[in-house]
Amino acid sequence: MFRVLLLTLAVVVSQPARAQERQWLLDAAGEEVFLAFGVPNTDDVGISFWCKSGQQGISLFSPFQGREKRPKLTLLVGAESFPLDAKVNNNEGTKTVEARLRPEVKILNALNDAERFEVDLGKHKAVYPLADADFQGLIKLCATRLLPAEN
């Protein structure tokens, strides 16, 4: 499933803009939980947050077009700035960046109270709205051990 998320994010980088607007979607698949900002029923995902259910730690995923192996990623929420350690994932020639949210509670509280946030990733900067972003649902599902998906 992790590779599916990476592939989904990778496709976004290469696809043209779609007519339908992105929105926040909360989804649980197997033991993984995702809060993604994208176009429903497509591979268009601009950014996402994910965790494994029942385990500590939420990570952020974003498309990445830079050359750095350890890019500087800063999450700007309101007046607060959160520098995060990021690593680049290269999946079939398409790159994404992953960063664990630290300090997780402070970042999630700031995101929950804000109207938008910015991701500063080297030369790439992006602003995302937070209307309808269900961070409380993400936190609840991340803290809950989900049943494995049936085959």
Side-chain angles (χ1 to χ4, degrees), residues 1 6-7 10 21 26 29 32 38-39 46 56 67 69 83-84 86 89 91-92 98 103 109 112 132 150:
M1 187 55 156
L6 290 177
L7 182 58
E21 292 192 28
L26 180 62
E32 295 178 326
V39 177
Q56 295 282 343
R67 297 177 191 259
K69 291 183 180 181
L84 303 174
N89 298 307
N91 187 27
E92 298 178 17
E98 174 184 8
N109 285 338
N112 200 47
D132 300 321
E150 291 184 30

Side-chain angles (χ1 to χ4, degrees), residues 37-134:
F37 185 65
V39 177
N41 303 316
T42 71
D43 293 334
D44 183 354
V45 177
I47 196 161
S48 65
F49 297 85
W50 84 277
C51 68
K52 285 197 175 189
S53 66
Q55 296 183 10
Q56 295 282 343
I58 295 175
S59 294
L60 171 149
F61 275 94
S62 178
F64 181 65
Q65 297 176 357
R67 297 177 191 259
E68 305 92 339
K69 291 183 180 181
R70 289 286 216 194
K72 292 183 179 183
L73 188 150
T74 303
L75 197 61
L76 304 159
V77 187
E80 297 193 67
S81 176
F82 302 99
L84 303 174
D85 291 328
K87 70 176 183 179
V88 174
N89 298 307
N90 194 348
N91 187 27
E92 298 178 17
T94 305
K95 292 188 249 180
T96 59
V97 69
E98 174 184 8
R100 288 284 300 254
L101 299 186
R102 292 194 176 126
E104 183 176 312
V105 173
K106 189 172 182 180
I107 294 172
L108 291 171
N109 285 338
L111 287 167
N112 200 47
D113 295 338
E115 292 180 13
R116 63 184 174 278
F117 71 99
E118 181 177 337
V119 174
D120 185 343
L121 189 55
K123 296 178 182 176
H124 177 73
K125 293 177 180 24
V127 177
Y128 299 96
L130 286 167
D132 300 321
D134 188 3

